[in-house]
Amino acid sequence: MTERNFNAEFDYITYSSRIRYRDDKGYKNISLDYNQNVDLPSSTQLQPVADVSNQTHIYTGNPDLEPGLSHNLRFRYQNNIAFNNITINAETKAEFVEDKIINSTITDADLIKYTTYDNINGDYSLSGNASISKSYFSQNTNINMSAKFAASYDNNISIQNGVKFSGKNTVYKPSVGFKYSYNNKFDFGINYSYSVNETLYDTDAFNDNEYFVQNLKLDTSIFFFKNAFFSNKIAYQYNSRVGDAFDGDAVFWNAGLGVQLWNNKGTLTLVGYDILGKNNGYRRSVTETYIQDIENKILEQYFMLTFSYKFGRIAGQNMNVRPDSPSGRGGYGGGRRGR
């Protein structure tokens, strides 16, 4: 048995700062934040001892490993134009990493992997999103329209089989939404999003990949008689990333019928999940070294009868009464608001 003495000590001072502006009425908020984070290597990553518990993947620590130091910058903007019922939000983030700790893996001819740990420079990520919403209110009608755009860019450095390379990942995701409510009798909402994901490598050892996902969601709620309601949720998704052996289309339909009892204290609801039986558990995992298609076992079509009862008071307030909100009611457990 070989005796090993191992000790590692790291001392770091990190900094953070914030600049913030807020107008007198609180409608406009602007902030700029900066902070540092230190990623300390674990004892497993540092110890120069081979872990052979898995004979097909052997890990060995690196005693010369340094902590990773990340610099994070974030800008936020928010403006509530109350007179026009318009809300504008925007956010951007940037992260730059020094001495990032990564896995360095070599795969031999027998497909046995040998992994150690190393420090690299050049990793960074950029992201941002912006959204705007507009609301209209009248005595019986509430309308809200919204639009959002999000994007991100990641430059990731890796080492595989002794080759250092970078993977540049770009994501774009626009989305729009619309909500309508009429006289506490009818709620309607629709949302659409489309996202594109592209990864490019600067080496021929790995294949570039690109895919897109689109989602369409439709929610409706109808309130009739005195305390009865019907909720309907339909969602469509298409994922171009799944393999040819799987169906990239999926349609989900859930519907519920309920009634509130005893002055809105009790709610009885019958809900049908995945009424069309189209729910699936397909997904694809893509890494630098492999592409894997997975089909998960999931709970498919079923129906559920539920009953809930609310009672008691907190701080002198009746727990059964919800404050009025422009979005109205809805949901399978919600039903009609208390009055």
Side-chain angles (χ1 to χ4, degrees), residues 312-325:
R313 296 169 65 90
I314 295 180
Q317 299 295 321
N318 191 340
M319 293 175 59
N320 301 311
V321 177
R322 301 181 184 177
D324 289 345
S325 63

Side-chain angles (χ1 to χ4, degrees), residues 9 14 49 171 175 212 221 248 303:
E9 182 176 339
T14 59
V49 180
V171 178
S175 62
F212 69 91
S221 296
F303 294 85

Side-chain angles (χ1 to χ4, degrees), residues 111-123:
L111 299 181
I112 297 177
K113 296 181 179 180
Y114 298 87
T115 295
T116 186
Y117 306 94
D118 207 345
N119 293 111
I120 60 166
N121 290 301
D123 248 45

Side-chain angles (χ1 to χ4, degrees), residues 243-295:
D244 296 335
F246 301 96
D247 188 0
D249 292 277
V251 179
F252 311 96
W253 180 24
N254 303 333
L257 182 65
V259 61
Q260 291 199 317
L261 308 169
W262 304 305
N263 196 27
N264 298 334
K265 293 182 178 180
T267 304
L268 181 67
T269 310
L270 175 64
V271 182
Y273 293 90
D274 190 21
I275 295 175
L276 298 178
K278 296 294 185 178
N279 196 3
N280 60 58
Y282 305 148
R283 67 183 179 89
R284 169 171 285 192
S285 177
V286 179
T287 70
E288 293 89 349
T289 56
Y290 69 87
I291 298 176
Q292 183 180 30
D293 288 318
I294 301 172
E295 181 179 5

Side-chain angles (χ1 to χ4, degrees), residues 102-146:
I102 65 165
N103 294 355
S104 177
T105 301
I106 294 177
T107 305
D108 65 14
D110 297 323
L111 299 181
I112 297 177
K113 296 181 179 180
Y114 298 87
T115 295
T116 186
Y117 306 94
D118 207 345
N119 293 111
I120 60 166
N121 290 301
D123 248 45
Y124 64 90
S125 63
L126 307 171
S127 64
N129 65 80
S131 64
I132 182 171
S133 65
K134 167 70 174 178
S135 298
Y136 298 90
F137 303 101
S138 67
Q139 182 176 359
N140 295 318
T141 302
N142 297 329
I143 298 175
N144 178 269
M145 298 179 293
S146 62

